[in-house]
């Protein structure tokens, strides 16, 4: 695997996610965007809420902590906060909030003009201990891809009963 | 699982896929769009080629065979044809071809004005035997989601070495 990862690449990917989610989700019937792949899993609308929560409390705040070399561990990220804070908020509204807040985040990231040397600065994760700024920013990007892969997989599964024997060749239904 | 699937819903989803892929892929560095998740797997550029091949030889031609009640099994779909027919074609070009051909396909699908009764018509799959038009169209949609989930998962994996300990919470890296 090549290690070509850069902050410019990260910004290039992160900027796209709101548009990708809007294209994939906005204006679809409820059985797709409210469907789940199991108990205690999130539907696509809830995933957008989770991404907004990350913009507010996770990525840029932690990046600032590392760059400023603030002491102490990162505040713990609450993985379920969005289930209450965004309960009942329509998907279209969540997509608009996410687009605005993600644009602000990416602009903030670019404005930091992080150098390759700074990518090796470290902070303290509450569970993992020492982590690098490079790992934190790469995780931000991978986390986006993870949830994009999830929402498309979850929507595929809503049609799992309709495809009949073709399920054999649709491995996404079993992931 | 609710069975709310309709041809209108299918068209609604199918129309979005070219834009979603363009947003996700166009203008990204080669290590993302040419990266793989293993031997004998497709990179995101190859997936777009495969989708074009499906527009030409699979979905609409098979739907017409069912609607016209043509005898005999569907011609076998060649799952690897795109690896030779689109070898060396740049991603931007493939995205443009797919957008054009998918738009034609969805327009053709809508123009067929398929009734709920017609969804129960059947054709003969070369491997599965009798399949319904409903299953065929649902498979088209699910197949799109499957490949959208795949390209985002494959791109996530290109950053798998960069995320350090966070890999623990990024299950997409292990799917």
């Amino acid at each position: 695997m090549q290690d070509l990862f850069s902050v410019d690449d990260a910004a290039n990917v992160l900027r796209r996610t709101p548009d990708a989610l809007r294209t994939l989700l906005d204006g679809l019937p409820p059985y797709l965007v409210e469907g789940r792949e199991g108990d205690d899993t999130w539907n696509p609308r809830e995933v957008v809420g989770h991404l907004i929560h990350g913009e507010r409390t996770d990525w840029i705040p932690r990046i600032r902590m590392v760059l400023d070399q603030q002491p102490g561990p990162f505040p713990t990220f609450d993985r379920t906060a969005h289930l209450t804070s965004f309960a009942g908020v329509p998907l279209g509204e969540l997509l608009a909030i996410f687009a605005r807040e993600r644009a602000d985040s990416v602009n903030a990231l670019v404005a930091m003009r992080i150098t390759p040397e700074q990518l090796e600065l470290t902070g303290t994760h509450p569970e993992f201990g020492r982590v690098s700024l490079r790992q934190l920013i790469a995780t931000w990007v991978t986390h986006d891809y993870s949830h994009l892969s999830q929402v498309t997989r979850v929507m595929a599964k809503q049609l799992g009963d309709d495809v009949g024997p073709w399920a054999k060749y649709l491995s996404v239904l079993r992931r």
Side-chain angles (χ1 to χ4, degrees), chain A:
Chain A
M1 189 175 301
Q2 302 160 276
D3 183 19
L4 297 167
F5 172 79
S6 72
V7 177
D8 283 350
D9 287 350
N12 185 351
V13 174
L14 293 167
R15 238 186 246 294
R16 297 161 185 257
T17 306
D19 278 350
L21 286 169
R22 184 184 299 277
T23 301
L24 289 169
L25 302 177
D26 202 23
L28 284 186
Y31 75 95
L32 287 173
V33 293
E34 303 276 348
R36 301 180 191 283
E37 61 182 338
D39 293 340
D40 295 322
T41 66
W42 302 339
N43 64 36
R45 190 181 56 77
E46 289 164 342
V47 167
V48 180
H50 166 71
L51 290 169
I52 295 170
H53 191 68
E55 297 309 294
R56 294 180 180 177
T57 70
D58 191 338
W59 310 112
I60 289 290
R62 288 181 173 188
I63 292 169
R64 284 199 205 284
M65 281 188 75
V66 177
L67 284 177
D68 299 347
Q69 290 290 284
Q70 292 174 35
F74 305 142
T76 302
F77 180 67
D78 185 342
R79 276 200 190 67
T80 60
H82 64 285
L83 298 178
T84 47
S85 56
F86 297 119
V89 180
L91 174 61
E93 204 170 311
L94 293 175
L95 289 166
I97 295 169
F98 178 54
R100 199 166 56 235
E101 301 202 12
R102 170 55 64 88
D104 289 347
S105 297
V106 177
N107 290 340
L109 177 69
V110 171
M112 289 170 182
R113 298 175 170 278
I114 295 169
T115 65
E117 293 70 36
Q118 285 177 312
L119 279 179
E120 307 314 321
L121 289 172
T122 58
T124 305
H125 185 278
E127 176 184 350
F128 303 137
R130 209 160 78 141
V131 289
S132 70
L133 186 55
R134 167 192 296 274
Q135 289 168 340
L136 174 55
I137 296 173
T139 299
W140 190 3
V141 174
T142 309
H143 181 264
D144 270 22
Y145 280 141
S146 167
H147 286 296
L148 285 161
S149 190
Q150 175 189 18
V151 299
T152 45
R153 185 181 71 236
V154 170
M155 291 194 290
K157 289 180 181 179
Q158 307 315 310
L159 298 176
D161 283 351
D162 292 300
V163 301
W166 272 288
K168 175 178 174 183
Y169 289 124
L170 292 163
S171 62
V172 70
L173 298 175
R174 293 177 294 279
R175 284 182 189 269

